[in-house]
Amino acid sequence: GQNIDQPTEMTATEGAIVQINCTYQTSGFNGLFWYQQHAGEAPTFLSYNVLDGLEEKGRFSSFLSRSKGYSYLLLKELQMKDSASYLCAVRDSNYQLIWGAGTKLIIKP
Amino acid sequence: GAVVSQHPSWVICKSGTSVKIECRSLDFQATTMFWYRQFPKQSLMLMATSNEGSKATYEQGVEKDKFLINHASLTLSTLTVTSAHPEDSSFYICSARGTYDYEQYFGPGTRLTVT
């Protein structure tokens, strides 16, 4: 079966750095996405990785290792507004997005 | 950037009635649209995938006669929840993807409450 694992909840301090991990087992791989979702709102796109390595975009970076079936989202200089759920999703061989359950990130002052 | 709108943003209806939710791609042609449902504190659950001009493909466990999806044009898809029941109360989100695009663009979602 297809499976995406990410921690249910994480807590971090304002100004700090946090890494949210995602491991996946899917039938084929055509890219990995990270989305941010604030409570009561739709997801918004953060990053896309299809090749191994690190993609940096401002305070957010995303890393992919296809051989390990592993990705992480790195958030630097955390702000209170970063409190949200972070969803990892993998596009499989049928170009369907398989979603993780999301990681709720709580930022404390 | 690509914008997807949904209407209405929230709706309250009585049990047994039908509700239609619209999803529009405002500045691009969406060859594929996706409908998701999300219950509180749970992840997105894909309900169906629709390609313009063809019938939607429903995920296992989703009743196609209850959740009617129409993707008649490259900019509009509709989801009709027929004979709604309180257990259909949820957050319904659509997303759209262009022909040569890898990204799905999400609408703002519609919160449905069935009383």
Side-chain angles (χ1 to χ4, degrees):
Chain A
Q2 309 209 87
N3 194 50
I4 296 185
D5 287 318
Q6 49 182 133
T8 305
E9 187 174 297
M10 299 182 70
T11 302
T13 305
E14 189 177 15
I17 299 173
V18 71
Q19 177 175 312
I20 303 174
N21 296 324
C22 170
T23 57
Y24 63 89
Q25 291 177 309
T26 56
S27 54
F29 178 85
N30 282 296
L32 185 144
F33 297 79
W34 283 96
Y35 284 85
Q36 180 191 61
Q37 186 178 25
H38 285 100
E41 298 180 12
T44 54
F45 171 80
L46 287 179
S47 68
Y48 169 69
N49 293 70
V50 67
L51 298 176
D52 290 350
L54 188 69
E55 293 281 343
E56 296 187 75
K57 190 185 291 186
R59 294 188 298 116
F60 294 1
S61 303
S62 57
F63 172 83
L64 174 68
S65 169
R66 288 172 296 171
S67 62
K68 295 181 180 179
Y70 168 69
S71 173
Y72 68 72
L73 179 69
L74 191 72
L75 294 78
K76 303 176 186 175
E77 301 169 18
L78 286 170
Q79 302 174 10
M80 297 303 293
K81 68 178 182 179
D82 297 330
S83 292
S85 287
Y86 291 85
L87 307 174
C88 173
V90 173
R91 192 162 59 192
D92 67 9
S93 56
N94 294 319
Y95 280 77
Q96 291 277 51
L97 271 184
I98 311 301
W99 293 87
T103 298
K104 182 179 180 181
L105 178 62
I106 300 169
I107 309 296
K108 295 185 175 179
Chain B
V3 179
V4 176
S5 70
Q6 264 184 259
H7 178 79
S9 54
W10 61 270
V11 57
I12 301 172
C13 70
K14 292 188 176 180
S15 187
T17 60
S18 295
V19 174
K20 180 185 283 189
I21 302 170
E22 290 187 352
C23 176
R24 293 182 185 271
S25 57
L26 299 184
D27 51 2
F28 69 103
Q29 294 186 328
T31 50
T32 306
M33 284 189 168
F34 306 85
W35 285 97
Y36 293 87
R37 180 167 52 181
Q38 187 176 34
F39 293 106
K41 298 184 180 181
Q42 294 186 24
S43 189
L44 296 172
M45 189 179 74
L46 179 65
M47 298 176 68
T49 303
S50 71
N51 292 299
E52 185 264 339
S54 59
K55 289 184 179 180
T57 302
Y58 290 81
E59 295 300 303
Q60 196 171 5
V62 178
E63 299 173 58
K64 60 181 67 176
D65 294 331
K66 180 171 182 61
F67 299 99
L68 302 178
I69 292 172
N70 184 293
H71 189 172
S73 79
L74 285 171
T75 59
L76 173 65
S77 176
T78 60
L79 167 68
T80 302
V81 183
T82 62
S83 187
H85 291 286
E87 56 264 32
D88 297 325
S89 297
S90 187
F91 192 44
Y92 291 85
I93 309 171
C94 76
S95 70
R97 189 178 70 204
T99 306
Y100 304 107
D101 217 333
Y102 60 78
E103 183 181 342
Q104 286 186 25
Y105 303 96
F106 283 87
T110 297
R111 187 159 303 281
L112 170 64
T113 302
V114 184
T115 61

